[in-house]
Amino acid sequence: MSRKLYTFNGGVHPDGHKAMSNGTPIRAMTLLPRYIVPLRQHIGTPARPLVAAGDTVLRGQTIGAADGYVSTAVHAPTSGRVVAVEPRAVPHPSGMFDLAVVIESDGADRAIEFQPLDWRNLDPSALRNRVRDMGLAGLGGAVFPSYIKLNPGGQKIHTLILNGAECEPWITCDDRLMRERAPELVRGIEIMRHALGSETVLIGIEDNKPEAIAALRAAAPAGMEVIAVPTRYPGGGGKQLTYSLTGVETPAGGRSTDVGIQVFNVGTAYSLYRAVELGEPMISRVATITGHVAQPGNFEVRVGTPLSDLVAAAGGALAGASGELIGGPMMGFDLRDSDAPVTKAVNCLIVKNPRLFPAKPIELPCIRCGACAQACPADLQPFEMYWYSRAKDFGRAQSYNLFDCIECGCCSYVCPSHIPLVDYFRFSKSEIWEREREKRSADQARVRHEFKVFRLEREKQDKAEKFAKAAEKSRESAASNAVTPADPDAEKKKAILQAALDRAQKTKETVTPKNTENLTSGVQKEIDAIEARRAKVEEKTESHE
Amino acid sequence: MENYLLILIGTVFVNNIVMSKILGLCPFMGVSRKLEAAIGMGAATTFVLTLASGASYLVDTYLLGQDLSYLRTLSFIVVIAGIVGFTEMFIKKTSPVLFRVLGIYLPLITTNCAVLGIPLLNVQEQHNFLESLFYGLGGALGFSLVLMLFAAMRERLEAADVPKPFRGVSIAMITAGLMSLAFMGFAGLIR
Amino acid sequence: MIGSPYTLGGNSTSTIMLKVMLALVPGILAHAWYFGPGIWISLLVCSVFALGFEAFMLLMRGRPLKHALSDNSALLTAWLLALSLPTLAPWWLYAIGMLFAIVVAKQFYGGLGQNLFNPAMIGYAALIVSFPVNMTQWAAPVDLADHALTLLDAFDVVFAGQGSISPDAYTSATVLDTWKTQARLNTPVASILSQPMFGWAGGRGMETVAAMYLLGGLYLFWSRLITWHIPLAFLVGVAASAGLLHLIDPTQHAGPLLHLFSGGVMLGAFFIATDPVTAASTPRGKLIYAGLAGILTAIIRAFGGYPDGVAFAVLLMNICVPFIDTYTQPRVFGHGAGPKKAGKA
Amino acid sequence: MAAIGLVLGGILGWAAIKLRVQDDPLVEKIDAILPQTQCGQCGFAGCKPYAEAIAKGEADINLCPPGGAEGVKNLAELLGVDAKPLGEGVEPKPKSVAVIDENTCIGCTLCIQACPVDAIVGAAKQLHVIVAAQCTGCELCLPPCPVDCIGMQVIKEDVVTWKWRYPIHMMKRAA
């Protein structure tokens, strides 16, 4: 091609292992008896649940609505009955539980009526609302709500980049998608171009996927350029791909839109096509299951599918499996609980065995050899950031531009001392975030405290003025009345307080456990209701934090 | 001209006031915990030391002469104290944080043996006015140089896995010693 | 809990150290060929003391011995110091050198990776300051020595003192020493260079050893264990300043070739200045660090009181490293350059 | 000598007028580091008074338990002094918020008056509620409550506030 490619610094060449899963077509999965759909599948505020236990739902029905600006909807993957809305295991590095809707399928898989959209004659903002209600989020891994990214805002988005690089080893879901569904994918890109008004459309694909490149070149109309970029991890990082294709560096701390470029994953374009042209909400995605399983490959997986079922669909794990990875080996994380479901973010599940993923060698001291700095695609000095992160000197770690780290893992990959550098950076980053949260709330508290002090001062002044006036009055009356009576108001207040105290003492006694044995069902119900309300308040406070 | 250059190079590197004359260790150890503070301290000391060498020379030559030479140390201290007082106010005005960081070490420039030592050495070496100035400037630059380098090293040391008994000032002293060892490489270079 | 990445590639620290030691082997062999078997003894003695001191300090600190000893870093330090010291020196000289190198310069700071000064060079500097006489008695090339020592003789010399053989019989000054003393006596250049100890470039024998170090260094560069910045800047620094001085006054200052191939310059350029722990780490910083070290080496050689300047130059620049690193941080992706007008690229 | 003294005195006097410092921005800088719980555990009436006391050198830097060791370290760095452990009897507690027990609250408004950041809403004889997002966990509302209906609740971690842990240092673990 005639287009000049730019080369970002650093990067590594880990073993691809892609042939293991990219040889077979995308398979469909049989209907499962149970789906678990987390309400937080995207960056931002979790969706607000619209269903409760006992409700029946249809496939594609909205079960969680977008809540706030950075949020998007969640839909039922099949028809059936909601059995619970409760915290469940989710694919998250912490292994923590998060609120999810558990659906028991009725086997009929009845769908709501899908309404295709005539997007060409539609106002872009209406299109975006549709995209939000269809639950679209970026499928590259960051799962940022797509409708926001389709809003050019005040900026001119002259270039639209489609990311089909898929630089992470093992993962092949985008590869298969591009090979098999290129025409539909291209129609999705058309919708994006329409919403953003971009002139240039570039589709970047790493050159280890010749079939995908050929398929897209065949499907792409004039004005869409399919470009093969050299295979080098992390060539599919948003900033890296943008630089490779255009030579433009995304400003630190900013977005590519600041320089007039928007980047979407190819999978998102395909889902956009389904959402807009077919009217089908985002209830499935293509995900790779590979590694130590009987039949590695790609599946069209419904969101909410328990990962253990995905492993089973691939013929099950082979003997000697030693755990699972979500995502690729460079940036993924260990699956803590195989009950966790596939979400919009899950692009790959790798079943590990000790041969493919040997135990990590022991960490030795850093010798400042600089291998990490040479491998870093963000041109950072990881060993300096490590030096201060290790000593928990976050200020200095940050001064070495810690927050420009994209956590691609190249530094850890090349480190001769086998230092888990990225873990140190993740640790430092979350500590710094925590401090910033604290700082924000401290600032808020300071303002509120200062206001309170100011208010008290003002009240005191007011009172003093009133008192001065009163004193003048009383001096006048003092002539006739020698003894000033005690403030009757205060006496009254005291009495009221005492009465309330006594009352409270009584009520307290009634709610102490010794009385709970012989409660009437009515009282019990009341207590339960209060407990539930309290639990909700607590939940709210937690989600606020 | 060559003479002045030699004085400058000699005092900055070869006869470095801290590394080979072992003067001014108090601020050297005290204000080297942070690079910024060290740079501030270096600038303040350079200012004071250069002025003090010049002023002391004038005082010594024109006010004291041979007859009152027994007042030399005393009057030098007065001159230095005055200049330090001025510097102190200046820094307090321009950079309160630096003022706070330097803390007690700022007024202590007065009693920094390097600051008194250099004017006295000037007299001893019978430097003329310009030579005195350059000697003061060179000494101060040498002081600032090692102070800054040392501060940068200590910032790195702070995060090092130093054995417990050596942490803090202890390893700093060892480092200063090794620095001194390295500076011995300049021995015999000039005079 | 350790997260991604889950695959690792590349070297390991102990193999890096081994490869560096491997790169030293040609130089050592050449040394043994030209200067007799003394080098084997000094290597051995230094290695034993290095491991001994390292183990002792680790025990004192309550750290596990196995990993720290098997990273080969103490051995490498021992070899570098042994190659910088005269062979056939008394054993306690090596012991004191290793004490300073391993205990003071390395373990006091927390061990591998934490030290600010090059351990081997601290050992060297401490010795040359304390025992200048022993440090100038270098083994003479075998074909020039009055008495060629066998391995046993050498053993005797190192551990029991010179014994029956006078040190004059097997030691000589280095070419740098000779040049300095003779030039200050205003001996004509031609007659200095005609002395048998001078070879085609540097000192007889030593020049070949230096060439072998160069070879080893090129191997390190080729296997990507070092970058070109430090060796090149160091050699250019030495050659340029030596050349300049030579141009100004050829009767007092030897030419750049002699400087490059004598003393510790080659060893320093490829093996000592490149020690990643104590060297500058940014590309620009490396150039400044090594360039200044090279210039300092030439200045100390020309005007200073010590015969060789490599050790002091490296140590002086070690002092500057944190400062240099702080002010030479490379531009981070997405910083500064300012968004180029996109689309026109 | 006297002449020197006079001249210098003159210069200094002039400089003192010229270079007078109006405001002390140090207090602001110290105040910015303090956690603003306004809890008074330091023995001062709030964070600002404590900051002023530190700036004047009247108070030590290790008196603030909510700030923890981290806060002491930051103060030490700002002031160029050695960090030290928190003082006797001052230990940091896990971050908590106050919660009012709806069953026992009598609506006396005493806690509302005690709250330094106005994080409690409610009127006389009405149930009071603490706005958790604004509660600093200072515990100042606990003692005034006549019916002991306020309890402290430790803030739990969730998927958003979850933090990556410090990577285990293998060398040390092996030791």
Side-chain angles (χ1 to χ4, degrees):
Chain A
M1 293 304 285
S2 57
R3 180 168 285 272
K4 176 180 187 302
L5 287 181
Y6 297 81
T7 314
F8 64 90
N9 296 332
V12 292
H13 294 100
D15 274 346
H17 294 280
K18 298 214 180 220
M20 200 177 233
S21 57
N22 70 1
T24 49
I26 299 171
R27 283 172 274 174
M29 273 182 77
T30 50
L31 196 64
L32 297 170
R34 181 174 286 237
Y35 292 91
I36 303 158
V37 188
L39 288 162
R40 192 200 307 266
Q41 297 196 34
H42 46 263
I43 295 235
T45 335
R48 180 163 37 88
L50 297 178
V51 290
D55 293 357
T56 52
V57 291
L58 296 175
R59 173 157 63 90
Q61 182 182 333
T62 312
I63 54 175
D67 189 13
Y69 181 63
V70 187
S71 184
T72 184
V74 173
H75 304 82
T78 186
S79 63
R81 200 170 57 89
V82 175
V83 288
V85 180
E86 61 184 16
R88 283 300 184 107
V90 290
H92 188 269
S94 66
M96 280 179 155
F97 282 32
D98 203 11
L99 201 61
V101 177
V102 184
I103 296 172
E104 209 157 69
S105 58
D106 57 12
D109 201 22
R110 281 168 298 132
I112 55 163
E113 198 180 319
F114 294 147
Q115 283 174 333
L117 209 63
D118 181 15
W119 53 270
R120 278 177 214 277
N121 299 315
L122 203 64
D123 173 48
S125 91
L127 175 65
R128 282 195 293 276
N129 285 343
R130 167 76 160 207
V131 172
R132 182 188 60 195
D133 296 338
M134 287 288 161
L136 249 73
L139 296 185
V143 277
F144 194 78
S146 301
Y147 84 97
I148 302 174
K149 285 177 74 177
L150 285 173
N151 186 354
Q155 284 144 327
K156 167 106 184 82
I157 306 295
H158 50 74
T159 305
L160 169 65
I161 293 179
L162 269 292
N163 187 346
E166 199 163 59
C167 60
E168 268 262 11
W170 297 89
I171 307 177
T172 58
C173 58
D174 289 347
D175 185 9
R176 285 310 312 186
L177 187 79
M178 289 186 285
R179 286 194 213 183
E180 296 176 30
R181 302 176 187 175
E184 294 88 345
L185 203 157
V186 165
R187 295 179 77 160
I189 300 174
E190 293 283 7
I191 303 170
M192 287 174 173
R193 172 146 74 171
H194 171 75
L196 291 170
S198 313
E199 294 129 26
T200 320
V201 179
L202 307 173
I203 305 169
I205 305 173
E206 279 195 347
D207 55 14
N208 59 356
K209 291 180 266 297
E211 298 91 344
I213 295 171
L216 268 179
R217 280 201 178 134
M224 270 187 213
E225 203 175 327
V226 180
I227 302 157
V229 295
T231 301
R232 180 161 47 111
Y233 180 85
K239 293 180 175 186
Q240 280 66 40
L241 185 67
T242 306
Y243 183 76
S244 297
L245 295 180
T246 63
V248 176
E249 286 184 21
T250 309
R255 298 183 186 286
S256 61
T257 47
D258 297 343
V259 284
I261 297 171
Q262 187 61 287
V263 186
F264 281 99
N265 181 266
V266 286
T268 316
Y270 175 71
S271 296
L272 183 67
Y273 154 78
R274 300 240 313 223
V276 175
E277 293 215 348
L278 305 182
E280 182 193 323
M282 219 205 126
I283 51 171
S284 71
R285 67 158 298 150
V286 179
T288 307
I289 163 88
T290 181
H292 201 51
V293 289
Q295 300 143 15
N298 286 283
F299 285 91
E300 174 94 38
V301 193
R302 297 190 196 211
V303 169
T305 304
L307 286 163
S308 47
D309 288 310
L310 181 60
V311 175
L318 299 174
S322 57
E324 290 117 12
L325 276 185
I326 302 277
M330 296 299 284
M331 291 184 75
F333 54 88
D334 271 308
L335 179 63
R336 300 294 187 85
D337 189 337
S338 56
D339 283 344
V342 171
T343 63
K344 294 169 189 173
V346 173
N347 51 6
C348 182
L349 182 72
I350 305 175
V351 178
K352 296 195 284 186
N353 72 10
R355 190 179 53 79
L356 295 170
F357 296 94
K360 294 205 181 162
I362 277 177
E363 176 185 340
L364 291 173
C366 168
I367 54 166
R368 299 171 64 87
C369 65
C372 48
Q374 281 173 39
C376 181
D379 305 333
L380 295 166
Q381 301 275 305
F383 57 92
E384 299 278 13
M385 285 159 28
Y386 155 74
W387 182 256
Y388 293 111
S389 293
R390 194 195 53 147
K392 299 182 187 168
D393 188 343
F394 303 118
R396 290 216 176 98
Q398 204 173 349
S399 74
Y400 282 96
N401 298 307
L402 176 65
F403 281 94
D404 285 301
C405 168
I406 56 170
E407 299 176 24
C408 63
C410 290
C411 49
S412 302
Y413 179 82
V414 298
C415 179
S417 289
H418 311 303
I419 299 167
L421 290 153
V422 185
D423 287 84
Y424 281 99
F425 304 154
R426 283 190 283 240
F427 160 72
S428 286
K429 282 181 181 177
S430 28
E431 289 293 331
I432 292 169
W433 278 323
E434 157 110 348
R435 274 162 192 63
E436 263 166 27
R437 273 197 299 273
E438 271 168 21
K439 180 103 190 86
R440 265 200 303 278
S441 64
D443 287 343
Q444 207 183 13
R446 181 183 302 115
V447 172
R448 293 181 72 83
H449 176 64
E450 274 165 9
F451 179 72
K452 166 150 184 161
V453 170
F454 166 74
R455 186 174 51 97
L456 288 181
E457 194 60 35
R458 199 181 53 198
E459 275 168 15
K460 216 201 233 159
Q461 262 175 18
D462 289 353
K463 238 181 222 164
E465 269 167 35
K466 266 186 206 156
F467 186 75
K469 272 182 196 160
E472 227 162 83
K473 262 186 198 162
S474 67
R475 215 177 295 133
E476 283 163 15
S477 59
S480 57
N481 223 346
V483 185
T484 331
D487 187 1
D489 245 28
E491 288 291 322
K492 215 163 127 195
K493 258 187 198 161
K494 231 183 207 168
I496 293 170
L497 193 65
Q498 192 54 46
L501 247 169
D502 295 345
R503 245 193 342 267
Q505 210 57 45
K506 265 187 210 149
T507 43
K508 206 178 184 185
E509 267 159 31
T510 58
V511 295
T512 41
K514 68 180 176 194
N515 287 352
T516 48
E517 289 128 17
N518 41 6
L519 283 174
T520 61
S521 64
V523 174
Q524 185 61 55
K525 230 177 224 167
E526 230 175 86
I527 291 175
D528 286 351
I530 290 167
E531 288 291 345
R533 207 167 43 239
R534 237 187 259 162
K536 218 173 231 170
V537 170
E538 275 167 36
E539 232 166 69
K540 254 198 194 137
T541 61
E542 269 170 49
S543 63
H544 266 295
E545 286 310 303
Chain B
M1 198 57 227
E2 204 190 325
N3 184 23
Y4 299 124
L5 200 68
L6 278 182
I7 287 182
L8 216 52
I9 293 176
T11 45
V12 172
F13 297 110
V14 185
N15 297 314
N16 187 287
I17 190 161
V18 183
M19 293 283 100
S20 79
K21 290 213 163 62
I22 322 288
L23 286 174
L25 276 187
C26 170
F28 182 68
M29 297 306 295
V31 199
S32 52
R33 224 180 265 114
K34 277 178 87 183
L35 186 52
E36 284 165 55
I39 292 174
M41 187 67 180
T45 309
T46 308
F47 179 74
V48 171
L49 200 39
T50 315
L51 276 190
S53 334
S56 311
Y57 174 82
L58 295 177
V59 166
D60 188 56
T61 319
Y62 298 108
L63 279 179
L64 301 177
Q66 281 304 307
D67 313 329
L68 291 171
S69 61
Y70 59 89
L71 280 178
R72 191 176 285 147
T73 311
L74 212 58
S75 54
F76 281 10
I77 291 177
V78 172
V79 169
I80 293 166
I83 297 171
V84 169
F86 178 79
T87 315
E88 198 183 335
M89 279 187 266
F90 183 75
I91 292 183
K92 193 170 182 179
K93 169 84 176 175
T94 48
S95 171
V97 174
L98 180 64
F99 180 75
R100 179 74 211 208
V101 167
L102 294 179
I104 188 68
Y105 293 102
L106 188 54
L108 274 187
I109 297 181
T110 317
T111 54
N112 182 343
C113 35
V115 179
L116 182 60
I118 287 208
L120 288 176
L121 281 172
N122 269 329
V123 175
Q124 194 187 333
E125 309 240 327
Q126 297 179 329
H127 284 143
N128 65 27
F129 179 66
L130 263 184
E131 281 171 345
S132 297
L133 269 187
F134 271 92
Y135 198 74
L137 179 67
L141 287 181
F143 174 78
S144 310
L145 178 77
V146 291
L147 186 63
M148 286 188 301
L149 297 178
F150 189 53
M153 290 177 100
R154 282 187 77 176
E155 284 199 352
R156 223 180 104 180
L157 262 186
E158 208 152 278
D161 186 21
V162 175
K164 268 248 164 60
F166 293 109
R167 248 170 236 174
V169 182
S170 166
I171 193 72
M173 286 299 271
I174 293 173
T175 309
L178 294 182
M179 278 171 87
S180 194
L181 178 62
F183 265 79
M184 289 183 87
F186 285 124
L189 221 55
I190 297 170
R191 266 176 287 176
Chain C
M1 183 199 74
I2 308 285
S4 60
Y6 294 89
T7 46
L8 299 178
N11 271 311
S12 85
T13 300
S14 51
T15 33
I16 289 181
M17 298 285 174
L18 265 185
K19 280 184 183 169
V20 175
M21 286 160 77
L22 185 69
L24 282 170
V25 167
I28 295 171
L29 289 178
H31 200 288
W33 174 261
Y34 283 102
F35 297 95
I39 187 71
W40 302 117
I41 295 172
S42 62
L43 279 175
L44 182 77
V45 173
C46 280
S47 304
V48 167
F49 276 109
L51 291 177
F53 284 132
E54 181 106 334
F56 173 72
M57 285 306 286
L58 289 170
L59 279 178
M60 293 288 287
R61 298 180 61 202
R63 295 294 166 91
L65 282 181
K66 198 180 135 222
H67 300 300
L69 285 185
S70 61
D71 65 21
N72 297 325
S73 61
L75 268 187
L76 179 59
T77 301
W79 284 29
L80 289 176
L81 185 60
L83 294 177
S84 312
L85 296 178
T87 49
L88 302 176
W91 64 272
W92 49 264
L93 198 78
Y94 301 127
I96 293 174
M98 287 325 298
L99 179 81
F100 270 88
I102 298 292
V103 177
V104 179
K106 186 176 169 193
Q107 288 294 339
F108 275 11
Y109 285 84
L112 178 62
Q114 324 272 331
N115 49 310
L116 294 170
F117 295 97
N118 188 309
M121 290 303 99
I122 285 288
Y124 177 90
L127 289 180
I128 201 162
V129 168
S130 318
F131 309 101
V133 178
N134 296 81
M135 291 292 287
T136 44
Q137 289 175 337
W138 287 76
V142 176
D143 51 348
L144 290 185
D146 303 338
H147 189 106
L149 297 177
T150 62
L151 191 63
L152 263 179
D153 290 339
F155 210 77
D156 215 31
V157 168
V158 171
F159 285 100
Q162 56 264 47
S164 55
I165 317 156
S166 152
D168 295 338
Y170 52 82
T171 65
S172 73
T174 62
V175 281
L176 287 173
D177 253 344
T178 313
W179 176 279
K180 202 178 241 174
T181 36
Q182 297 291 325
R184 286 195 181 160
L185 295 172
N186 289 325
T187 317
V189 175
S191 75
I192 302 180
L193 289 180
S194 64
Q195 290 182 20
M197 67 166 66
F198 284 88
W200 52 270
R204 193 175 176 125
M206 211 53 208
E207 60 202 4
T208 315
V209 176
M212 287 299 145
Y213 289 147
L214 175 65
L215 202 70
L218 290 176
Y219 160 74
L220 288 184
F221 172 69
W222 169 76
S223 55
R224 296 192 171 212
L225 291 178
I226 56 175
T227 58
W228 57 270
H229 303 81
I230 288 178
L232 191 72
F234 189 86
L235 293 179
V236 166
V238 171
S241 28
L244 191 68
L245 290 170
H246 182 65
L247 280 183
I248 293 170
D249 188 357
T251 62
Q252 285 297 317
H253 304 293
L257 198 64
L258 179 85
H259 276 290
L260 287 180
F261 282 91
S262 62
V265 166
M266 280 300 165
L267 189 67
F270 287 98
F271 295 91
I272 291 169
T274 52
D275 165 28
V277 178
T278 55
S281 51
T282 63
R284 260 188 311 150
K286 281 177 181 170
L287 292 178
I288 296 171
Y289 158 84
L292 284 178
I295 293 170
L296 278 176
T297 301
I299 288 177
I300 292 173
R301 278 183 174 185
F303 304 107
Y306 296 105
D308 202 350
V310 175
F312 288 110
V314 168
L315 288 177
L316 284 168
M317 290 318 294
N318 282 166
I319 295 175
C320 306
V321 160
F323 192 78
I324 294 176
D325 276 353
T326 307
Y327 288 101
T328 56
Q329 284 300 311
R331 190 182 72 84
V332 172
F333 187 91
H335 277 265
K340 284 171 260 174
K341 276 278 165 274
K344 283 166 196 159
Chain D
M1 276 303 284
I4 303 173
L6 274 179
V7 171
L8 282 171
I11 294 177
L12 285 182
W14 169 80
I17 297 164
K18 270 285 176 199
L19 298 175
R20 184 175 300 142
V21 180
Q22 280 88 17
D23 199 17
D24 196 357
L26 191 64
V27 174
E28 308 277 296
K29 287 208 159 104
I30 296 172
D31 197 35
I33 291 174
L34 297 176
Q36 304 302 325
T37 50
Q38 317 294 353
C39 61
Q41 291 180 62
C42 48
F44 294 88
C47 294
K48 189 79 176 261
Y50 180 42
E52 279 159 5
I54 294 178
K56 281 192 204 127
E58 286 164 3
D60 216 338
I61 57 170
N62 62 344
L63 302 177
C64 178
E70 180 86 14
V72 177
K73 206 185 113 202
N74 289 339
L75 284 175
E77 205 141 286
L78 174 72
L79 302 175
V81 294
D82 274 323
K84 44 181 125 185
L86 282 172
E88 282 281 307
V90 276
E91 264 164 36
K93 295 180 193 164
K95 290 250 173 310
S96 326
V97 287
V99 176
I100 293 178
D101 182 351
E102 294 175 13
N103 291 317
T104 28
C105 177
I106 54 169
C108 67
T109 75
L110 285 177
C111 57
I112 297 184
Q113 291 160 36
C115 180
V117 292
D118 286 343
I120 308 179
V121 287
K125 288 183 214 161
Q126 308 260 310
L127 182 70
H128 301 341
V129 172
I130 293 176
V131 183
Q134 277 150 9
C135 176
T136 63
C138 66
E139 304 188 4
L140 286 180
C141 51
L142 299 192
C145 180
V147 292
D148 286 341
C149 73
I150 308 179
M152 300 306 291
Q153 205 163 58
V154 176
I155 300 172
K156 272 184 272 168
E157 214 175 25
D158 68 4
V159 175
V160 174
T161 56
W162 176 79
K163 291 192 290 183
W164 284 88
R165 304 296 194 266
Y166 190 75
I168 304 158
H169 203 291
M170 300 300 241
M171 295 280 286
K172 273 190 191 136
R173 200 178 54 168

